[in-house]
Coordinates of all heavy atoms in Angstrom, one line a residue:
I413 N 22.3 2.7 -16.9 CA 22.1 1.3 -16.7 C 22.5 0.5 -17.9 O 23.0 -0.6 -17.8 CB 20.6 1.0 -16.3 CG1 20.3 1.5 -14.9 CG2 20.3 -0.5 -16.4 CD1 18.8 1.5 -14.6
S414 N 22.2 1.0 -19.1 CA 22.5 0.3 -20.3 C 24.0 0.1 -20.5 O 24.4 -0.8 -21.1 CB 21.9 1.0 -21.5 OG 22.6 2.3 -21.7
E415 N 24.8 1.0 -19.8 CA 26.2 0.9 -19.9 C 26.8 0.0 -18.8 O 27.8 -0.6 -18.9 CB 26.9 2.3 -19.8 CG 26.5 3.2 -21.0 CD 27.0 2.7 -22.3 OE1 28.1 2.1 -22.3 OE2 26.3 2.9 -23.3
N416 N 26.1 0.0 -17.7 CA 26.6 -0.8 -16.5 C 25.4 -1.3 -15.7 O 24.9 -0.6 -14.8 CB 27.4 0.1 -15.6 CG 27.9 -0.7 -14.4 OD1 28.0 -1.9 -14.4 ND2 28.3 0.1 -13.4
S417 N 24.9 -2.5 -16.1 CA 23.7 -3.0 -15.4 C 24.0 -3.7 -14.1 O 23.0 -4.1 -13.4 CB 23.0 -4.0 -16.4 OG 23.9 -5.1 -16.6
S418 N 25.2 -3.8 -13.7 CA 25.5 -4.6 -12.5 C 25.0 -3.9 -11.3 O 24.7 -4.5 -10.2 CB 27.1 -4.7 -12.4 OG 27.7 -3.5 -12.3
V419 N 24.8 -2.6 -11.3 CA 24.2 -1.8 -10.2 C 22.8 -2.3 -9.8 O 22.5 -2.3 -8.7 CB 24.2 -0.3 -10.5 CG1 23.2 0.0 -11.7 CG2 23.8 0.5 -9.3
L420 N 22.1 -2.9 -10.8 CA 20.7 -3.4 -10.5 C 20.7 -4.6 -9.6 O 19.8 -4.8 -8.8 CB 20.0 -3.7 -11.8 CG 19.7 -2.5 -12.7 CD1 19.1 -3.0 -14.0 CD2 18.8 -1.5 -12.1
S421 N 21.8 -5.4 -9.7 CA 21.8 -6.6 -8.8 C 21.9 -6.2 -7.4 O 21.2 -6.8 -6.5 CB 23.1 -7.4 -9.2 OG 23.2 -8.6 -8.4
E422 N 22.8 -5.2 -7.0 CA 22.9 -4.8 -5.7 C 21.6 -4.1 -5.2 O 21.2 -4.2 -4.0 CB 24.1 -3.8 -5.5 CG 25.5 -4.6 -5.6 CD 25.6 -5.7 -4.6 OE1 25.3 -5.4 -3.4 OE2 25.9 -6.8 -5.0
M423 N 21.0 -3.3 -6.1 CA 19.8 -2.6 -5.7 C 18.7 -3.6 -5.4 O 17.8 -3.4 -4.6 CB 19.4 -1.6 -6.8 CG 20.2 -0.4 -6.8 SD 19.6 0.8 -8.1 CE 20.6 2.2 -7.7
S424 N 18.6 -4.7 -6.2 CA 17.7 -5.8 -6.0 C 17.7 -6.3 -4.6 O 16.7 -6.6 -3.9 CB 17.9 -6.8 -7.1 OG 17.0 -7.9 -6.8
K425 N 19.0 -6.6 -4.2 CA 19.2 -7.1 -2.8 C 18.7 -6.1 -1.8 O 18.1 -6.5 -0.7 CB 20.6 -7.4 -2.6 CG 21.2 -8.6 -3.5 CD 22.7 -8.8 -3.3 CE 23.2 -9.8 -4.3 NZ 24.7 -9.9 -4.2
K426 N 18.9 -4.8 -2.0 CA 18.5 -3.8 -1.0 C 17.0 -3.7 -1.0 O 16.4 -3.5 0.1 CB 19.2 -2.5 -1.3 CG 20.7 -2.5 -1.1 CD 21.3 -1.2 -1.4 CE 22.8 -1.2 -1.0 NZ 23.5 0.0 -1.3
S427 N 16.3 -3.8 -2.1 CA 14.9 -3.8 -2.2 C 14.3 -4.9 -1.3 O 13.4 -4.7 -0.5 CB 14.4 -3.9 -3.6 OG 14.3 -2.7 -4.2
Y428 N 14.9 -6.1 -1.5 CA 14.4 -7.3 -0.7 C 14.6 -7.0 0.8 O 13.7 -7.4 1.6 CB 15.2 -8.5 -1.2 CG 14.6 -9.8 -0.6 CD1 13.3 -10.2 -0.7 CD2 15.5 -10.6 0.1 CE1 12.8 -11.4 -0.2 CE2 15.0 -11.8 0.7 CZ 13.7 -12.2 0.5 OH 13.2 -13.4 1.0
Q429 N 15.7 -6.4 1.2 CA 15.9 -6.2 2.6 C 14.9 -5.2 3.2 O 14.4 -5.3 4.3 CB 17.3 -5.7 2.8 CG 17.8 -5.8 4.3 CD 17.6 -7.2 4.9 OE1 18.1 -8.1 4.4 NE2 16.9 -7.3 6.0
I430 N 14.7 -4.1 2.4 CA 13.6 -3.1 2.8 C 12.3 -3.8 3.0 O 11.5 -3.6 3.9 CB 13.6 -2.0 1.8 CG1 14.8 -1.1 1.9 CG2 12.3 -1.1 2.0 CD1 15.0 -0.1 0.8

Side-chain angles (χ1 to χ4, degrees):
I413 290 170
S414 71
E415 298 296 327
N416 178 22
S417 62
S418 61
V419 65
L420 294 177
S421 178
E422 287 304 311
M423 287 185 170
S424 175
K425 294 175 185 175
K426 290 181 179 178
S427 276
Y428 186 57
Q429 194 56 54
I430 289 170

